[in-house]
Amino acid sequence: MDNQFRSLNLAKKALKRIKYLTPSHEVKFCHVCGTHEWVITHYGIRSLLPNKIDVIAGPGCPVCIVPAKEIDEAVWLALNKATVLTFGDIIRVPGSKISLAQAKALGGKVKIVYSVKDAVEIAKQKPNEEFVFFAIGFETTAPSTALEAARNPPKNLSFLISHRLIPPVMELLLGIGDLHIDGFIAPGHVSTIIGLKPYEVFPKVYKMPTVIAGFEPLDVLFALIILLKQISHGEAKLENEYSRSVKWNGNLKAQKLINEVFNVTDGFWRGLGKVPASALKLKEKYSSLDAKLKYEIKLNSPSKDLLPGCSCHLVIIGKIKPTECPLFMKACTPQTPKGSCMVSMEGTCAIWAKHGASTKKVEN
Ligand code: SF4
């Protein structure tokens, strides 16, 4: 650990504090961010925690939660109408029948871009060809999509919007009867955009301790200390461990862009079904940019989020650990992903596969 947020000495002290604050009953904290899962797994944090504390991974990977129907739509577009431009990981996510990568192998037009700005440039360079930007991601990537949409992009570029919002899905988790959660570790990146306000509902309405955390190992340990303190005092508060990056109001400019271009609508999440008010949709003013309206997408059969044997729907809500899926590192590996959680480096199964993670505790 080479910086102040990775100090071994401080980590040892934090772990002592965690041990001291651990209640006699079991507590389960849920994070909703692929990067938090990476930090927790990469640094072996779960194995250092007392047995009574579990940290589960919620639906915080932007690639994992894209429903098969939206992959199928992108595949149809790539095979029939336009070049689909999108971020790297999403092209390997299984659709109901094939992924975008497989569509490409069949002659479909698919190209990886690093930003929506790149997509605009590519469309400008080839005005006689049709392009669709497949826009995925949470509140973190939505502002850049909104920016380019508002800038009057070239007529041969349209958008397949698959943006999702984090606080509504956190609310959904609390409604899952047999999923007990004692506190949230809220995502730092998303919070830099939305600020703290959208999380107020969790302590106020659900009496759920909620702490926004950064992405260094000590950020996660400090967040756990804050959550455990609230529990030991019988409190439920919203606190900000990541104050060096997250402000109360968030990024107002980014919020304004999102509000200018998008309306909030109900959205489907892979394996979770419909989540109320959890997705973004282009406003009527921008409807000429909507690929779904521009092209009559024809899917011949209902879409399927889960291939036989896949447990991604349970991994995504932290109900099971990846190693509990019968396909994990057998039929499903990072090279041969059977489920969306095994594709991206923000996916819980892919992270566990890479780090050979286990839940075995180190003596502490
Ligand atoms: S191991 Fe594969 S199939 Fe099983 S939950 Fe993970 S991604 Fe889904």
Side-chain angles (χ1 to χ4, degrees):
M1 293 190 182
D2 54 6
N3 72 21
Q4 56 169 331
F5 291 101
R6 295 181 196 174
S7 151
L8 190 55
N9 206 16
L10 278 178
K12 280 183 182 165
K13 283 186 183 162
L15 283 163
K16 260 193 182 166
R17 190 81 186 130
I18 286 172
K19 201 173 173 185
Y20 173 77
L21 289 165
T22 300
S24 52
H25 58 280
E26 288 185 8
V27 285
K28 202 180 269 183
F29 299 124
C30 176
H31 73 73
V32 269
C33 176
T35 313
H36 275 148
E37 182 56 33
W38 187 90
V39 171
I40 289 164
T41 306
H42 177 79
Y43 289 100
I45 288 176
R46 275 191 194 91
S47 68
L48 300 170
L49 297 175
N51 284 326
K52 297 271 185 223
I53 299 179
D54 193 9
V55 182
I56 62 170
C61 161
V63 172
C64 308
I65 56 91
V66 175
K69 182 163 185 269
E70 286 169 15
I71 303 285
D72 297 343
E73 288 168 346
V75 164
W76 187 89
L77 286 166
L79 289 172
N80 294 286
K81 293 287 176 186
T83 301
V84 172
L85 306 167
T86 193
F87 302 131
D89 285 339
I90 195 73
I91 77 162
R92 296 179 62 233
V93 171
S96 300
K97 292 197 175 85
I98 58 171
S99 64
L100 278 167
Q102 288 164 323
K104 190 175 180 180
L106 293 172
K109 290 177 279 177
V110 180
K111 193 170 166 52
I112 291 171
V113 289
Y114 296 100
S115 70
V116 56
K117 202 166 186 299
D118 290 351
V120 170
E121 286 310 313
I122 290 170
K124 273 185 187 161
Q125 281 161 20
K126 296 191 172 167
N128 297 324
E129 290 182 27
E130 289 293 305
F131 295 92
V132 172
F133 178 65
F134 187 18
I136 66 149
F138 300 126
E139 291 92 334
T140 33
T141 51
S144 45
T145 307
L147 179 66
E148 295 305 331
R151 273 182 173 164
N152 199 16
K155 295 266 174 293
N156 59 333
L157 177 69
S158 55
F159 294 74
L160 184 62
I161 300 293
S162 184
H163 287 304
R164 295 291 185 274
L165 306 173
I166 285 287
V169 83
M170 289 168 67
E171 248 181 295
L172 178 103
L173 293 179
L174 297 178
I176 299 176
D178 55 347
L179 185 72
H180 181 87
I181 295 173
D182 295 288
F184 277 125
I185 301 173
H189 296 320
V190 164
S191 307
T192 58
I193 304 294
I194 65 175
L196 272 75
K197 209 166 167 39
Y199 302 106
E200 275 185 318
V201 61
F202 299 109
K204 273 193 185 157
V205 177
Y206 298 101
K207 307 291 171 235
M208 185 59 56
T210 302
V211 176
I212 291 152
F215 298 101
E216 294 288 353
L218 279 174
D219 285 316
V220 174
L221 294 177
F222 291 158
L224 290 173
I225 290 172
I226 296 168
L227 288 168
L228 287 165
K229 267 191 190 163
Q230 289 190 27
I231 287 173
S232 70
H233 295 155
E235 294 171 337
K237 295 196 288 191
L238 172 60
E239 293 189 74
N240 184 12
E241 185 280 335
Y242 199 30
S243 57
R244 64 191 188 277
S245 292
V246 175
K247 307 297 167 215
W248 175 261
N249 287 325
N251 182 334
L252 293 175
K253 211 171 151 191
Q255 291 168 29
K256 199 171 161 212
L257 267 170
I258 292 176
N259 294 335
E260 156 64 26
V261 172
F262 296 116
N263 280 327
V264 174
T265 184
D266 296 345
F268 284 84
W269 294 56
R270 183 177 284 244
L272 295 183
K274 195 200 272 185
V275 182
S278 69
L280 297 175
K281 180 179 186 286
L282 287 163
K283 281 188 172 169
E284 197 161 347
K285 183 177 166 192
Y286 295 95
S287 58
S288 63
L289 302 178
D290 191 337
K292 287 194 196 188
L293 298 175
K294 183 169 183 180
Y295 305 104
E296 209 182 311
I297 299 174
K298 291 190 190 89
L299 301 183
N300 294 326
S301 47
S303 296
K304 270 192 227 134
D305 276 352
L306 303 169
L307 296 179
C310 168
S311 310
C312 283
H313 58 310
L314 301 176
V315 169
I316 274 169
I317 58 170
K319 195 85 200 293
I320 65 165
K321 303 276 194 275
T323 42
E324 293 171 71
C325 172
L327 305 190
F328 183 74
M329 294 312 275
K330 292 179 187 120
C332 183
T333 69
Q335 290 72 38
T336 58
K338 294 279 181 267
S340 60
C341 303
M342 190 57 99
V343 174
S344 156
M345 275 327 294
E346 290 183 76
T348 306
C349 293
I351 295 170
W352 281 52
K354 175 148 195 259
H355 295 277
S358 85
T359 46
K360 215 170 151 198
K361 300 279 180 190
V362 170
E363 205 56 46
N364 53 46

